[in-house]
Amino acid sequence: MNAVGLNITWIIFMPILVIIIGLFYLGAARKITARIQNRYGPPIYQNIIDVIKLFSKKNPTNHGVMFSLGPVMAFSGMLISLLFIPIGNKALLSFNGDIIVLLYLLVIAPLGMALGVGEGGNPMGTIGIARALTLMLGYEVVLVISIISVILYTGSASFMEIIKMQSGGVGHWFIWPLFLSALAMDMALQGMLGEKPFDQPVAPHEVASGPMVEFGGKYLGLLQLYHAIGIVVETGIFVNLFLGGGTLFWWFVKSFAVFFVALLINAVMPRFRIGQAFAFFWTYPAAIGLIGLILVAILK
Amino acid sequence: MTKAKPPKGLKGWAQGRSLWMLHFCTGCGAIEMPPTMTSRYDMERFGITPMATPRQADLLLITGYLTVKTLKRVIRSYEQMPEPKYVVGFGSCTVNGGMYWDSYNTIKRLDLYLPIDLYIAGCMPRPEAIIDGFTELIEGIKKGKFDGWIRYKENLEYYKRNQAMVMDIRKWSLDAELAERIWNEVQEERRKRFERATVKHVYELAERIPEGLPK
């Protein structure tokens, strides 16, 4: 009975915890970027203030039913993906094959955005979402290749199984035997997180923040929350597959470390054109991932 | 009908600490913004960040003179912003025309057309002055002192009439019916005045300052 009670508490509080920590990630990202650029930067809780402000805004523009459902769909799609990610050795939904289900669920969020943006009818938003979907086509291939090599190595498609196999210290992490796959996935992660050089979808100077162009007030607030969860989910995939999960505290430390690497690259890189980004994903990371996959298949 | 009030408490605090600005960079004020944003003066430490579209912005920054043509776009942008929204006028051009005091195609007093919450005077104001002005704006918003968008809504007819004096508001206004009516009235009044005007008066008619400011 006690275990059931704990589980229910965890189901309710885990998304809230992840949202708050994700917002702190975003705040830390702004602070770290500011320090790299020799600025003082906003306080680390700045994004929480932003979200409170956005939800307290009055009468933001609404273009129709799908326009308001788009951010909701993006947010809930990310929330469902979160259920499949074990955080602190505790997964809400865990079965053999949950990695593959997660790959499908990750697509819901951008598609929800695409539907919402479509009703907004702003050409900037349309360009932005077209770029986001093109970019997705690029990094998903790399992501799937590196995930398949992990599945091939372990013979299991369940996050919990894979985490169990990595237990027993740093030496057991899969980042060592599967180094090439991890490298390929980290490159894909840069695109998933939308950090430079792969921030074409939201490039403020080119397409006026892309998909978000028509969203204001509470819709934008919802998108901020979606972004906050997205960072935790996307870095969480890497942490669980290659860095061995860990207890609640260490899980978030590792997840932030993965995000931190992406941030450092983001702070010093310019932006690719969308064609260059797409070509990049299908050449170097894909080649590295394929070599990793072949090595796993031969050496296994 | 209850009177709308500016946000206070937690909402006001969050609004003050997180101002997303749409900087409408006309004139030379635009050149003062990069130093204010970058490492030397770093505006982001107050939570002020530039935003790409009016839908996301809270703060409209008019950085310099406005031609009549640009005024249309500014009003259009202002009306798209979600409430609460604030307007800051930069430099003497927005106060009284500045060095464009006798120009035929710029407006002289911005507060006839848009509800200004704060002026930052100077020609141009230095980044220190801009930071000082923003600090005052933030403190005022936290206390619920600034209520420009409420004034704009309550005195919509006054503002629309002034706008109609210098530009065609029919295509650009959200309240189409009101705009159409005011436009017709202003045209009629203009025609009458023009018939009995001398050359000196024609010059004044280019921008007529109406009697009395809104209460």
Side-chain angles (χ1 to χ4, degrees):
Chain A
M1 189 60 208
N2 197 14
V4 173
L6 263 179
N7 267 342
I8 291 172
T9 323
W10 180 244
I11 288 172
I12 295 167
F13 283 103
M14 192 266 285
I16 298 171
L17 180 77
V18 166
I19 286 173
I20 291 172
I21 289 182
L23 288 175
F24 270 110
Y25 276 25
L26 287 170
R30 284 169 76 173
K31 189 83 181 171
I32 290 165
T33 314
R35 294 309 298 161
I36 290 172
Q37 293 171 352
N38 208 3
R39 288 188 286 126
Y40 184 74
I44 200 167
Y45 51 88
Q46 180 65 49
N47 278 65
I48 293 176
I49 306 177
D50 287 349
V51 168
I52 294 173
K53 179 205 74 176
L54 284 172
F55 277 105
S56 70
K57 280 262 176 200
K58 279 180 207 155
N59 55 26
T61 317
N62 191 341
H63 291 284
V65 179
M66 204 58 229
F67 184 80
S68 39
L69 279 183
V72 175
M73 195 168 155
F75 178 71
S76 50
M78 234 359 147
L79 210 57
I80 293 167
S81 314
L82 185 66
L83 302 183
F84 288 84
I85 304 273
I87 295 176
N89 289 333
K90 199 181 271 195
L92 289 176
L93 293 170
S94 178
F95 47 86
N96 198 8
D98 59 359
I99 298 181
I100 295 162
V101 177
L102 178 72
L103 278 178
Y104 279 98
L105 288 176
L106 279 178
V107 187
I108 291 182
L111 284 183
M113 284 285 285
L115 289 171
V117 169
E119 181 138 32
N122 192 312
M124 294 294 186
T126 318
I127 297 171
I129 207 73
R131 284 177 172 197
L133 295 178
T134 314
L135 199 66
M136 203 167 78
L137 203 63
Y139 65 69
E140 289 270 288
V141 171
V142 184
L143 187 73
V144 169
I145 288 173
S146 46
I147 284 179
I148 285 176
S149 57
V150 176
I151 293 174
L152 198 63
Y153 185 75
T154 58
S156 161
S158 161
F159 274 123
M160 286 310 279
E161 293 271 315
I162 290 171
I163 290 172
K164 248 177 226 156
M165 286 176 205
Q166 299 179 72
S167 59
V170 180
H172 293 74
W173 291 357
F174 284 165
I175 194 169
W176 311 120
L178 298 173
F179 180 72
L180 290 178
S181 305
L183 185 65
M185 183 155 168
D186 195 45
M187 289 180 181
L189 205 62
Q190 194 78 14
M192 284 171 86
L193 294 170
E195 303 285 357
K196 286 192 190 90
F198 305 113
D199 68 335
Q200 297 90 4
V202 294
H205 318 99
E206 293 173 21
V207 287
S209 73
M212 277 105 77
V213 65
E214 281 292 307
F215 294 102
K218 57 187 176 188
Y219 305 114
L220 195 60
L222 215 52
L223 289 180
Q224 289 259 320
L225 297 186
Y226 146 73
H227 192 47
I229 299 182
I231 287 175
V232 177
V233 167
E234 284 151 7
T235 54
I237 297 172
F238 190 87
V239 169
N240 286 332
L241 290 184
F242 295 106
L243 299 180
T247 56
L248 198 60
F249 175 72
W250 283 109
W251 194 90
F252 278 112
V253 169
K254 287 171 185 174
S255 151
F256 186 75
V258 174
F259 183 52
F260 186 66
V261 172
L263 265 184
L264 294 187
I265 299 170
N266 174 51
V268 294
M269 289 288 272
R271 185 184 304 127
F272 276 143
R273 282 202 316 269
I274 184 69
Q276 288 171 327
F278 188 77
F280 176 81
F281 274 127
W282 279 26
T283 49
Y284 301 103
I288 292 170
L290 273 178
I291 293 170
L293 181 64
I294 292 165
L295 282 182
V296 168
I298 294 170
L299 299 179
K300 172 95 168 90
Chain B
M1 205 178 87
T2 51
K3 199 167 180 289
K5 281 196 183 97
K8 273 185 188 172
L10 178 69
K11 282 182 183 177
W13 174 79
Q15 179 63 62
R17 289 287 300 143
S18 158
L19 280 174
W20 291 355
M21 60 171 191
L22 181 72
H23 47 303
F24 207 100
C25 283
T26 59
C28 37
I31 209 71
E32 298 292 334
M33 292 318 289
T36 323
M37 281 185 246
T38 49
S39 39
R40 180 140 186 170
Y41 294 102
D42 186 27
M43 206 154 63
E44 204 188 357
R45 63 202 154 108
F46 301 114
I48 304 172
T49 12
M51 277 289 146
T53 72
R55 305 255 190 237
Q56 305 163 352
D58 314 305
L59 176 61
L60 182 62
L61 219 59
I62 315 285
T63 60
Y65 68 87
L66 283 177
T67 61
V68 173
K69 231 176 177 180
T70 324
L71 182 69
K72 281 185 188 175
R73 277 78 185 170
V74 170
I75 289 163
R76 182 88 162 156
S77 303
Y78 178 75
E79 287 181 351
Q80 285 181 43
M81 285 160 61
E83 295 164 5
K85 47 192 170 184
Y86 307 92
V87 187
V88 170
F90 248 58
S92 22
C93 299
T94 52
V95 181
N96 57 6
M99 61 189 279
Y100 299 95
W101 63 276
D102 63 346
S103 167
Y104 64 94
N105 64 350
T106 65
I107 57 152
K108 313 301 180 300
R109 282 180 57 187
L110 186 56
D111 65 351
L112 293 177
Y113 311 98
L114 279 179
I116 302 286
D117 289 301
L118 192 80
Y119 281 115
I120 301 173
C123 184
M124 283 306 294
R126 284 184 57 77
E128 290 95 331
I130 298 171
I131 295 277
D132 185 49
F134 279 149
T135 323
E136 199 182 320
L137 186 73
I138 288 169
E139 291 308 316
I141 290 171
K142 280 183 191 168
K143 288 174 193 146
K145 200 172 122 193
F146 297 112
D147 58 346
W149 77 96
I150 299 174
R151 273 188 286 133
Y152 188 72
K153 264 170 138 181
E154 283 173 356
N155 305 301
L156 190 65
E157 201 166 326
Y158 167 83
Y159 285 111
K160 284 288 161 205
R161 191 173 292 277
N162 288 351
Q163 290 163 12
M165 288 288 173
V166 289
M167 67 186 210
D168 187 351
I169 57 168
R170 285 171 301 176
K171 270 191 245 166
W172 296 85
S173 181
L174 290 184
D175 191 345
E177 210 171 288
L178 180 76
E180 183 77 35
R181 180 169 63 79
I182 290 176
W183 173 253
N184 289 336
E185 279 175 24
V186 168
Q187 286 307 304
E188 182 63 24
E189 190 183 339
R190 271 193 152 178
R191 199 180 50 76
K192 274 185 197 159
R193 281 179 155 247
F194 199 76
E195 278 167 2
R196 52 173 205 271
T198 62
V199 177
K200 196 179 122 206
H201 288 132
V202 173
Y203 174 73
E204 285 172 8
L205 280 173
E207 184 181 302
R208 192 195 66 127
I209 297 172
E211 299 80 15
L213 291 170
K215 297 293 173 301

